[in-house]
Amino acid sequence: MLNRRSFLLGSTATMALLSAAGRAQPAIMSRTQQVGATGLSAPIEIVDDPYGVPHIRAQSIPDAYFGQGYVVARDRLFQIDLDHRRELGRLAEAFGAGFAEHDAVARLFLFRGDLDAELARIPDNILACARAYVAGINARIDEVTADPTLLPLEYGILGVSPLKWDLRDMVLARGSGFGNVGDAVRRARLAGLGLLELDAVMAPLRPAWDLRVPEGLDAAAVSEADLGVLRLGSLPFASLAPSPPPTNDRGEAGSNAWTVAPSRSATGRPILANDPHLGIGGFGPRHVAHLTAPGLDVIGGGSPGLPGIMQGHTDRFAFGRTNFHIDQEDLFVLELHPDDPERYRHGDGWRAFERAEVSIPIKDAAPHAATLRYSVQGPVISHDPARRRATALAAIELQPGASGAFAMIAINLARDWESLREAAFRFHPSPTNFHYADVDGNHGWQVIGFAPVRRAGDGLMPVPGDGRYDWTGMRDFRSLPSEYNPARGWFASANQNNLPPDWPRDRIPAFSFRDPYRYERIVDVLSAQPRHTLADSISLIHDTLSTPARQLVALLPERASAEAAPALAMLRGWDGRLDADSGPAALFQLLWRELGRRMLAVIVPERARELVDEIAPSVLLGLLATPDTRLGPNPAAARDAMVDAALVAAWTQAQEALGPNPTAWRWGTLHRVNIRHPLHRIPAIAAAFPPIEGEGSGGDSYTPMARWVRGGGWSVSGGASYLQVIDVGGWDNSVFLNLPGNANDPRSPHYRDLYAPWINGAMQPLLFSRAAVDARATGRTVLNPAS
């Protein structure tokens, strides 16, 4: 039980703590409180600053992570609780029978190996930090349970209680998402139609590769049904609301990052910038915190529910990350025995599925029974005895030793380049471009992540599950590229193909690298700045120059029909910047979408349009620049007619959406940034959690300031919600943004306080030194070990 009470700054416990810290404190607090916390070894102090960042001051490193667990639960409890329940398959016990199938799927992807052995892989000091983080979350849960007025509002509305955490659950939960198997199924279905070449219209392989149907695969038999339980869809909150909640499309998740050496920096110190691109529209994907203790001083953005800081800096080095690409999943097609559907062909005979019978508790109902099956490759996601067919999924994160739950702790505890690389090698399975810059002037880039070793095949399509294509092991990051103190004085990554030109063909980790437009723009800017400043990085992280827009404008005809002439005139001379207040930017977006739709209608046969529903920018621009016979017997004339008709259509759509006066058109009028609670379709949730909206944004998928849309609308659905620019060694000069704020509770001043700065690109101080924090502090909490 926690005892929470207000106390005076001069209390004995507080003064003892401050004395131990070794510095006098000014009288800066507007609010002070004391909490007793189970699992804490000594008092810790949490100082909040005006930007919502909690600065945790502990007397031991594990206690600092206890503080992080406590503050993330203070600011984001329902968010981490909902994610925790989803990952463990424990939603139905809180929300009812409609969630039982989702729980069964979550349990299918839980780690099935030896949990004790997994924990034994982790060094004691890292495990102690993770255990303390969990204890910190539970301490806050105990606190709000004892005083329900502190509970986040969702709990009273939904009639549920927060779930207590257990360290073992962090190793158990593995199945966060398996996106690229859908791409594999699409390619096989196109091959079954005899139209495999159309896959390059939607998703050109990078690096280039000869796409072939694996030996033994009947491509014509592959269907969406082979994705099985992965097609289950969004959580069924329709049982609690008129319609299900929207989810952020994370299909474009990426990031930008760069480091600049002292030799090219105006400060004479390294600069590191980073902006992870994730979903926008619901809960924020980063929580910012500062952890200090003897031997630890780290600040930045963390993933709510995971211990440690993912992007930020220590007192020795700054670090950032972007997505690298490693194909870490394969889909295996299994042939079932004609007389026994619980056996499948493998090797020279038939093997029995491993089966697990699970009982899923359901709120106000009898438990739900489910049968989970596993082949030698991994979880069975579809099982169809009538077709004598099943599919199984192999995934890196389900393998022993592939939990990333402790990776950020290990990275935060590193002191230099070599110890950081060792931490990444041991604990970080996810594909990542890791950026580094230190106070000694060094900077480096290391690709980290585990890659499967396949007996055969390239992972681009489903494969027979008879053993020919099974995995035989994993490669760690030492098989992937890196660079340290490059002579050019900078390094950047933006999810582009950054494999060296001479990279061995048999060790290409994936073929899904992104369009290089963001990277090329970053390179152009950094190459032209011999004395790069913090302001330059801030400007670049908000850069809206669109290379596809410039290329399209250059391809527009000199003359157009009378109906298309106004659109042509507006785009002529436009600089290609997708600024929120730009009318040509709005017209370009409408034209780009219209051209893509019309081009697909011409080059993709009707029977394949379900599969090929997007066109890659490079393909669209290539066909406009050099039309070929896919456009008909007279390609150039067909291209010209298409462009003219698209200009007319885009102008008409702009008038309908933005009004009759073209001078009043703005890209930001269409490109709105609307943030709502993920369960906002429940009326009581919508009433309690005001939407955060009202402003528009520039940028799109291909500008360094990435703010993309998905589907048929124009609202921002993803991009760089957390941004940082770090002055390495001049730490208090560093700046950040975290959309829409650090807290999810509308009663908090940090519910939406960073929304307007984020819209306006007004980076906020990332306060680090004790003096800077204390000079701006707005509140203090002291956590004492519970008696």
Side-chain angles (χ1 to χ4, degrees), residues 12-162:
T12 302
T14 303
M15 294 309 295
L17 175 65
L18 301 184
S19 175
R23 295 194 186 183
Q25 299 293 313
I28 48 177
M29 300 299 113
S30 63
R31 175 180 55 83
T32 312
Q33 63 182 22
Q34 178 175 290
V35 175
T38 301
L40 192 60
S41 67
I44 67 174
E45 177 189 37
I46 301 167
V47 177
D48 292 295
D49 72 21
Y51 315 105
V53 178
H55 300 263
I56 301 154
R57 297 168 178 172
Q59 299 177 47
S60 70
I61 292 175
D63 279 355
Y65 283 93
F66 181 103
Q68 188 192 20
Y70 177 87
V71 295
V72 78
R74 180 195 71 180
D75 296 336
R76 305 285 189 93
L77 180 57
F78 185 76
Q79 177 182 0
I80 65 172
D81 186 34
L82 187 63
D83 285 347
H84 194 50
R85 284 186 176 277
R86 177 184 54 79
E87 291 176 348
L88 293 177
R90 296 188 61 179
L91 289 166
E93 67 185 74
F95 298 110
F99 293 80
E101 286 188 64
H102 291 265
D103 283 352
V105 173
R107 295 178 185 219
L108 179 67
F109 294 117
L110 295 178
F111 181 66
R112 299 185 69 245
D114 186 337
L115 287 181
D116 291 329
E118 289 293 286
L119 291 172
R121 298 172 185 265
I122 311 301
D124 290 343
N125 64 325
I126 294 175
L127 208 57
C129 294
R131 186 174 289 110
Y133 180 86
V134 168
I137 292 175
N138 287 336
R140 178 61 179 180
I141 291 174
D142 287 342
E143 183 184 4
V144 300
T145 301
D147 183 356
T149 64
L150 299 176
L151 271 171
L153 300 175
E154 296 97 335
Y155 291 102
I157 293 169
L158 300 173
V160 297
S161 299

Side-chain angles (χ1 to χ4, degrees), residues 285-304:
R286 291 291 179 267
H287 180 264
V288 185
H290 181 190
L291 287 65
T292 58
L296 175 71
D297 200 353
V298 61
I299 189 171
S303 179

Side-chain angles (χ1 to χ4, degrees), residues 295-321:
L296 175 71
D297 200 353
V298 61
I299 189 171
S303 179
L306 279 179
I309 301 301
M310 299 188 77
Q311 283 110 348
H313 69 81
T314 71
D315 57 336
R316 290 285 308 162
F317 62 84
F319 55 100
R321 53 197 290 126

Side-chain angles (χ1 to χ4, degrees), residues 78 82 154 245-246 281-283 675-681 685-686 689-691 744 751:
F78 185 76
L82 187 63
E154 296 97 335
F283 292 140
I675 299 173
R676 295 180 174 87
H677 195 289
L679 308 186
H680 74 271
R681 294 185 184 272
I685 293 285
F689 292 84
N744 288 345
Y751 176 63

Side-chain angles (χ1 to χ4, degrees), residues 466-549:
D466 56 13
R468 284 177 284 175
Y469 297 89
D470 286 1
W471 293 2
T472 59
M474 295 188 298
R475 292 191 181 101
D476 62 51
F477 84 90
R478 286 172 292 194
S479 67
L480 296 169
S482 67
E483 198 164 4
Y484 191 62
N485 289 332
R488 63 184 172 277
W490 57 267
F491 188 88
S493 68
N495 320 115
Q496 83 287 0
N497 175 17
N498 51 8
L499 293 172
D502 59 349
W503 193 252
R505 299 287 286 177
D506 64 341
R507 285 201 285 123
I508 294 175
F511 302 90
S512 53
F513 292 94
R514 298 297 171 83
D515 293 288
Y517 302 119
R518 286 184 286 113
Y519 174 73
E520 290 169 354
R521 173 59 180 163
I522 293 167
V523 168
D524 287 346
V525 171
L526 293 180
S527 299
Q529 292 175 336
R531 288 294 177 264
H532 185 84
T533 67
L534 291 173
D536 289 332
S537 270
I538 293 169
S539 176
L540 182 53
I541 217 168
H542 291 101
D543 190 278
T544 61
L545 185 68
S546 168
T547 299

